Amino acid sequence: ASGTDSASFRLLVERDTVTLAGKGDQGTLCAAYELLEQLGVRWCIPGELGTVVPELQTVALRRQDTNQDPAFALRDFANSIRYPEWRAWARRLRLGGEYLGGHGLPFAADPAAEPELFVQVDGHPTHQLRLSHPEVLRRTVAACRQQLARQPDLRYLSLGPADGEGFGSDPWDAGDVDPLHGSVSVTDRLVRFFNLVLADLHRDYPDVGLAFYCYSAYLRPPVRERPDPRLLPVFAPIDCCRLHSIDNPLCWERAYIQSLVDGWQALGVRMSYRGYLFNLADPGLPLGMVRQVSAEFPFYHRKGMLGMTPEIHPAWSYHGPAIYLAARLMWNPDVDPQVVLDDYFAAMYGPAAAAMRAHFERLEEAY
């Protein structure tokens, strides 16, 4: 009765009755998966290779009244939809919730035809729209209103600049230098624009929010603009070190992440997380990222993140343990990562579990 998420469920096992009940259809399905997991079924990686179904002569369940609610409202992996058999695996690992954030504003414009709407660098328009131009604001608001007319119950609109560089300079910038890039942060420019968009929309849609990637040149919190409380920065530290975890005292970039999160939250906004569970600099290296997941997913839960939607490009042989652990921690960040990994290696590798576990731990130590 206390659950608020459609994935919340109750599994009640009495002497002669097994009851599975969810807040919504997904919750009832999650109750079924919980029951199957208690019987030893595992979905380590997508597909037949990662599916473990024990052969049992007797099916036995302990008496229980188990109630579970997901820790994060949004639980997914960005970039995963392209992989075959992925959605079934994600469903069984209890992922769910809408995906928020994105690149680009909701209207089309041509820099050759309307150069005045685009940022100018060295006298030439880039692909970035000039947010301080009134026409850019007008078209953005009009497109958002059209979307809300179709979906009046929408909780968040997803907006943002185009991916990549080309931001130049703008009077709306605040001169805040980003130490990662050695350039001026453009976050104040974005927040001022998003505030204006929401101010217009809230006249008719007072509860709608706006989600945007907090990313690259706009990773830092604003220093002059105060964000509307309905802004949702979807934190995507693409340029920060991926080899180490947030609790590593020798890696200033992962420590820098903590200060950025604190800075945004001090402005009164809630956040969501969209990190990266692969090595962008060299995807071919066998980087497991188990330590990062173990330390950071509980950290982001303590910080009150709305969701966890990290990007993946899974080569399952090496990414499997971290992705599986991440899915488990999205549901319950209080579980012991070592217990989850013990279970994963036993199910995935059988007699080779100890050797494979040692192999992965040696790689983590090396990084």
Side-chain angles (χ1 to χ4, degrees):
S2 63
T4 59
D5 195 291
S6 63
S8 302
F9 69 84
R10 182 185 188 189
L11 172 60
L12 177 63
V13 180
E14 300 173 286
R15 185 180 65 83
D16 56 357
T17 307
V18 178
T19 304
L20 301 90
K23 265 294 188 190
D25 290 344
Q26 187 189 9
T28 308
L29 191 59
C30 288
Y33 292 141
E34 172 67 23
L35 183 147
L36 289 170
E37 288 178 3
Q38 290 188 17
L39 294 174
V41 177
R42 294 292 182 272
W43 300 279
C44 298
I45 65 174
E48 184 179 351
L49 179 64
T51 302
V52 178
V53 181
E55 295 183 6
L56 303 176
Q57 297 300 316
T58 301
V59 175
L61 289 169
R62 61 180 173 84
R63 293 191 187 186
Q64 60 186 286
D65 188 359
T66 296
N67 294 269
Q68 293 188 28
D69 303 294
F72 297 98
L74 314 179
R75 307 172 306 283
D76 206 350
F77 292 102
N79 213 32
S80 60
I81 196 69
R82 68 176 67 180
Y83 299 105
E85 301 176 303
W86 172 269
R87 296 323 301 176
W89 180 89
R91 212 166 42 242
R92 293 161 182 164
L93 271 290
R94 311 179 195 181
L95 304 186
E98 61 186 316
Y99 185 86
L100 298 176
H103 294 297
L105 297 181
F107 69 90
D110 182 358
E114 299 179 287
E116 69 278 6
L117 299 186
F118 291 82
V119 172
Q120 303 283 321
V121 174
D122 296 329
H124 301 284
T126 72
H127 69 302
Q128 297 292 351
L129 285 160
R130 192 173 138 210
L131 301 183
S132 58
H133 195 291
E135 181 63 12
V136 173
L137 176 63
R138 188 194 70 78
R139 293 189 193 181
T140 299
V141 168
C144 290
R145 285 185 168 274
Q146 289 177 3
Q147 185 176 357
L148 288 169
R150 297 189 302 268
Q151 301 171 276
D153 297 327
L154 199 64
R155 292 193 307 156
Y156 287 98
L157 295 158
S158 292
L159 306 180
D163 198 5
E165 301 299 324
F167 289 100
S169 60
D170 191 277
W172 285 5
D173 295 337
D176 178 42
V177 176
D178 180 346
L180 273 178
H181 305 95
S183 58
V184 172
S185 167
V186 301
T187 309
D188 278 87
R189 184 194 316 184
L190 263 66
V191 169
R192 182 170 178 177
F193 178 76
F194 293 150
N195 282 348
L196 291 170
V197 171
L198 284 180
D200 186 291
L201 298 179
H202 283 167
R203 290 183 295 173
D204 301 296
Y205 304 94
D207 297 326
V208 74
L210 192 159
F212 67 98
Y213 289 154
C214 178
Y215 169 85
S216 189
Y218 39 102
L219 186 65
R220 290 173 61 79
V223 297
R224 185 172 59 203
E225 301 294 328
R226 186 85 184 185
D228 185 292
R230 293 292 291 160
L231 280 181
L232 180 75
V234 182
F235 193 60
I238 189 170
D239 298 317
C240 291
C241 170
R242 303 188 192 183
L243 303 185
H244 305 115
S245 60
I246 204 165
D247 56 352
N248 189 317
L250 302 180
C251 182
W252 81 266
E253 291 185 18
R254 298 314 283 186
Y256 179 57
I257 285 176
Q258 297 188 54
S259 68
L260 294 174
V261 171
D262 290 341
W264 276 103
Q265 293 188 330
L267 295 173
V269 293
R270 195 172 187 187
M271 302 181 75
S272 190
Y273 178 74
R274 188 203 182 282
Y276 301 85
L277 294 183
F278 65 98
N279 184 12
L280 184 66
D282 188 346
L285 286 174
L287 178 63
M289 305 187 82
V290 165
R291 287 191 178 183
Q292 188 179 116
V293 170
S294 299
E296 297 191 6
F297 280 54
F299 165 80
Y300 288 120
H301 182 250
R302 293 193 299 271
K303 289 294 183 179
M305 293 281 177
L306 177 67
M308 301 292 286
T309 55
E311 182 177 340
I312 59 170
H313 290 271
W316 285 102
S317 56
Y318 277 108
H319 294 186
I323 293 175
Y324 183 85
L325 177 62
R328 290 302 189 196
L329 292 176
M330 287 182 198
W331 183 268
N332 180 8
D334 294 326
V335 297
D336 185 341
Q338 298 309 314
V339 172
V340 174
L341 292 169
D342 286 342
D343 183 73
Y344 175 89
F345 281 102
M348 186 69 192
Y349 295 107
M356 292 305 298
R357 183 76 185 270
H359 172 70
F360 274 85
E361 288 179 349
R362 185 173 182 183
L363 281 171
E364 292 282 343
E365 279 297 328
Y367 280 109

